[in-house]
Amino acid sequence: MSRKKRKILMNILLIAGIFISTTSCVKKTPVDLSKETLIPKPVSVTATNSSFEITNKTRIYFNKGSDGIESTAKYLAEILRPSTGFPVQVKSTLKKPKSGNIYLSLTDNKNLSEEGYELVITEKMVQLTANQPAGLFHGVQTIRQLLPDEIELKTHAGGPWLIGTGTILDYPEYEYRGAMLDVARHFFGVEDVKQFIDQLALYKINYLHLHLSDDQGWRIEIKSWPNLTLHGGSTEVGGGEGGFYTQEQYIDLVHYAAERFITIVPEIDMPGHTNAALSSYPELNCNGKATKLYTGTRVGFSTLCTKKEVTYTFIDDVIGELASMTTGPYIHIGGDESHVTPMKEYIPFINRVQEIVLKHGKMVIGWDEIAHSALKPNTVVQYWSLAKNAKKGVGQGAKVLMSPAKRAYLDMQYDSTTTLGLHWAAYVEVDSSYSWDPEKLVPGITKEDILGVEAPLWTETITNMNDLEYMVFPRLPGLAEIGWTPAADRSWDEYKVRLGKHGKRMQALGINYYPSPLVPWDEKSAK
Ligand code: IFG
């Protein structure tokens, strides 16, 4: 071949090489989206068997015309940066960005509810749309889970950061998917609660019920009744130092949760479970004498004096201050285990307390015993113990929040060897906490009667985040799936394999989960 021809051929090969390396026709690694181990399981997944790669050029764009979504774009960027080491800039845009980027925008998609989202992943772009900002936030949790477990690390990991291509269309079964943290038996500070909120967000939980008062402690500052925290917040089960949230700290928690589309539901338990208040103010006792602080774990021995007017002034002040700090629609009034309040006093008491909550612009949630009273139209009955109470509530037209102790109580021991927790309701292994259907649990309570599900963690035996995580995980992801995924799409045998692949992700998140022998834990990386 002549020198001239050889030169032309070399130029052709050079141009071809440049063309291939700079265009998307480079063969992308195939990733099967349908094999991803998402919890909660999405409504529909259609895979197209290629992949999108997050690189150091990838940016997160959010649509400038969509209000309230910049914080979600920044939230995703903050997750991606430490592990990838990429800059992951966040930019607003009025039109669809060029290829290689992630794009968040609001839309009007009748196939999606308020919290649904659509995730369209191609080799060129990850496009997430939703009707409301909450849906985008839930879609971001799915993006997280589609990336390798190492994405959750706070230190640089290797990648490559591939997301399988295809379309996910997803929305929840129930509007209320909650957890409860009892900060009264043992107090958990602001940073612990924020960490818990972050963990809840990954599983699309959207409510956090804080059990703020009980016999052993009062945990929220009430300016008009300062002794509630100064005295009533000064101890806890076992005699430790207890603690409480100042109003500023509580408001900070409400905002932190709201930025993650989690609504705080504050509970002031009454008329029972009130020894901390009764010890703080003598006038709240029928005999006018303050009780001693209590650091044991008995229940059912205390009651506000339902016959005294000062009791209702107290409740009005407390609910008023609490409502003014709470952006969510609910205040929980407790109502459980009022064993020393005569029913003929309990019923008018609960009737009156509902009026007080409504006066302050909130709706009532109460434990299932409140169904003995005359429920206001939007009052929600939280089923924990007696199905007949829950059915009584449905009979009055109330919605039911399903928290059956035998399935959903996260303080129940896994089995008789679990050193933490209780077992008065049952031993609740991971399979038992997953294998139930809210709309079939109680005959007479149908899907239409159910507001949603909530998993309470009572803390008589739980004193720190390590122990909290051991009891909450891995049962909470399953309860989150019960609230999100259609029952027809759920089975323990299929779920346990997906959960088994979440072990590495929980490890990457530093979660001290219980490695249940019932789950086929996948020790190597899930992908
Ligand atoms: N029942 C009590 C809680 C707590 C719990 C521990 C409810 C509604 C047992 N009330 O559950 O205060 O002590 O499992």
Side-chain angles (χ1 to χ4, degrees):
M1 182 187 296
S2 71
R3 196 177 143 78
K4 186 170 183 256
K5 275 189 180 170
R6 214 170 32 246
K7 198 165 167 46
I8 290 169
L9 182 61
M10 287 303 289
N11 284 338
I12 290 169
L13 287 175
L14 181 65
I15 290 164
I18 291 168
F19 176 78
I20 286 170
S21 64
T22 55
T23 65
S24 63
C25 71
V26 168
K27 189 81 198 84
K28 298 280 187 180
T29 311
V31 174
D32 184 349
L33 189 64
S34 66
K35 293 251 185 315
E36 292 303 340
T37 58
L38 295 168
I39 301 177
K41 185 180 183 180
V43 169
S44 80
V45 179
T46 311
T48 54
N49 297 323
S50 185
S51 60
F52 172 88
E53 182 171 8
I54 293 178
T55 70
N56 64 354
K57 292 189 172 47
T58 301
R59 289 175 165 172
I60 300 174
Y61 285 89
F62 64 96
N63 182 280
K64 201 166 187 151
S66 308
D67 290 340
I69 70 172
E70 181 174 3
S71 59
T72 297
K74 288 179 174 172
Y75 169 94
L76 177 56
E78 282 154 23
I79 288 165
L80 300 180
R81 287 181 187 134
S83 42
T84 62
F86 299 150
V88 193
Q89 290 181 330
V90 175
K91 296 266 181 196
S92 71
T93 177
L94 279 172
K95 58 186 179 33
K96 202 168 171 180
K98 61 182 179 32
S99 66
N101 295 305
I102 297 169
Y103 180 42
L104 276 53
S105 65
L106 294 182
T107 183
D108 185 7
N109 183 337
K110 64 183 181 341
N111 298 322
L112 298 175
S113 63
E114 298 256 308
E115 290 190 83
Y117 63 90
E118 183 177 56
L119 188 54
V120 179
I121 307 142
T122 66
E123 292 178 348
K124 293 187 168 37
M125 185 173 298
V126 173
Q127 184 160 8
L128 175 61
T129 58
N131 292 334
Q132 297 292 332
L136 286 183
F137 188 79
H138 296 321
V140 159
Q141 306 313 322
T142 299
I143 291 173
R144 280 174 84 173
Q145 290 191 24
L146 289 174
L147 284 160
D149 311 307
E150 292 76 9
I151 199 70
E152 303 296 353
L153 293 171
K154 292 290 175 244
T155 51
H156 188 201
W161 307 104
L162 304 179
I163 302 178
T165 56
T167 298
I168 294 178
L169 188 76
D170 200 11
Y171 46 85
E173 276 293 275
Y174 295 102
E175 64 177 272
Y176 188 120
R177 305 171 309 281
M180 186 206 84
L181 181 58
D182 166 12
V183 296
R185 277 43 183 273
H186 282 99
F187 181 63
F188 283 78
V190 168
E191 290 316 307
D192 284 345
V193 177
K194 286 184 174 180
Q195 185 178 334
F196 190 43
I197 288 169
D198 285 335
Q199 293 167 346
L200 297 177
L202 178 58
Y203 297 102
K204 303 188 176 77
I205 293 283
N206 66 344
Y207 280 91
L208 174 59
H209 167 182
L210 289 176
H211 185 75
L212 293 167
S213 67
D214 211 300
D215 292 318
Q216 298 87 346
W218 186 283
R219 306 298 179 207
I220 178 64
E221 177 194 10
I222 301 294
K223 294 188 186 301
S224 49
W225 296 72
N227 235 20
L228 289 169
T229 44
L230 296 179
H231 176 71
S234 65
T235 188
E236 57 191 1
V237 167
E241 64 176 11
F244 63 90
Y245 308 115
T246 64
Q247 296 204 349
E248 189 184 5
Q249 287 172 321
Y250 175 78
I251 290 167
D252 178 34
L253 284 175
V254 168
H255 289 163
Y256 190 87
E259 282 174 353
R260 290 148 183 81
F261 298 89
I262 292 174
T263 299
I264 296 289
V265 177
E267 178 185 352
I268 300 297
D269 203 343
M270 52 183 142
H273 286 277
T274 42
N275 185 72
L278 297 167
S279 178
S280 303
Y281 288 97
E283 61 268 44
L284 297 177
N285 298 265
C286 283
N287 66 4
K289 294 194 185 90
T291 59
K292 291 194 181 337
L293 288 172
Y294 176 68
T295 60
T297 58
R298 284 187 302 110
V299 297
F301 61 86
S302 57
T303 182
L304 291 172
C305 186
T306 60
K307 290 174 287 197
K308 283 183 164 180
E309 265 314 298
V310 66
T311 298
Y312 300 96
T313 304
F314 163 72
I315 293 168
D316 190 27
D317 291 344
V318 168
I319 298 297
E321 290 192 37
L322 198 54
S324 67
M325 297 186 280
T326 300
T327 52
Y330 295 112
I331 287 204
H332 199 300
I333 63 169
D336 62 307
E337 297 179 317
S338 301
H339 298 327
V340 294
T341 316
M343 189 53 85
K344 67 180 187 322
E345 292 178 26
Y346 175 86
I347 289 174
F349 173 85
I350 296 294
N351 291 347
R352 195 164 170 186
V353 171
Q354 289 180 86
E355 298 280 359
I356 292 172
V357 171
L358 291 172
K359 183 186 84 171
H360 291 291
K362 301 297 181 184
M363 296 186 286
V364 171
I365 302 181
W367 300 105
D368 59 48
E369 292 95 324
I370 66 164
H372 291 291
S373 70
L375 299 177
K376 293 295 180 190
N378 293 314
T379 290
V380 174
V381 170
Q382 182 162 10
Y383 167 45
W384 68 283
S385 171
L386 294 183
K388 67 178 182 186
N389 286 346
K391 281 195 283 189
K392 202 177 181 69
V394 168
Q396 292 195 59
K399 290 268 187 187
V400 178
L401 179 58
M402 298 295 275
S403 297
K406 294 179 191 299
R407 298 289 190 160
Y409 268 30
L410 300 172
D411 65 316
M412 289 301 114
Q413 291 163 264
Y414 290 101
D415 60 33
S416 60
T417 68
T418 312
T419 55
L420 297 165
L422 307 170
H423 59 269
W424 63 268
Y427 289 116
V428 183
E429 247 290 3
V430 182
D431 58 342
S432 171
S433 70
Y434 180 82
S435 306
W436 61 285
D437 178 357
E439 58 189 280
K440 292 198 174 67
L441 191 73
V442 179
I445 298 183
T446 66
K447 186 155 189 288
E448 290 61 46
D449 302 319
I450 296 169
L451 178 67
V453 294
E454 182 183 283
L457 178 74
W458 299 102
T459 59
E460 281 93 336
T461 65
I462 310 297
T463 60
N464 59 61
M465 281 307 280
N466 234 22
D467 291 353
L468 177 153
E469 291 172 359
Y470 190 81
M471 298 304 275
V472 172
F473 296 92
R475 289 179 289 195
L476 184 87
L479 288 152
E481 178 154 310
I482 290 171
W484 183 280
T485 305
D489 295 345
R490 295 194 299 108
S491 80
W492 167 250
D493 286 339
E494 186 274 332
Y495 170 73
K496 72 180 179 185
V497 175
R498 259 185 297 131
L499 180 60
K501 294 185 184 299
H502 255 256
K504 295 293 285 177
R505 188 168 295 271
M506 288 189 283
Q507 283 170 29
L509 285 162
I511 291 175
N512 176 47
Y513 67 95
Y514 162 66
S516 167
L518 304 183
V519 177
W521 297 107
D522 176 355
E523 283 318 305
K524 63 183 186 307
S525 174
K527 294 175 190 57

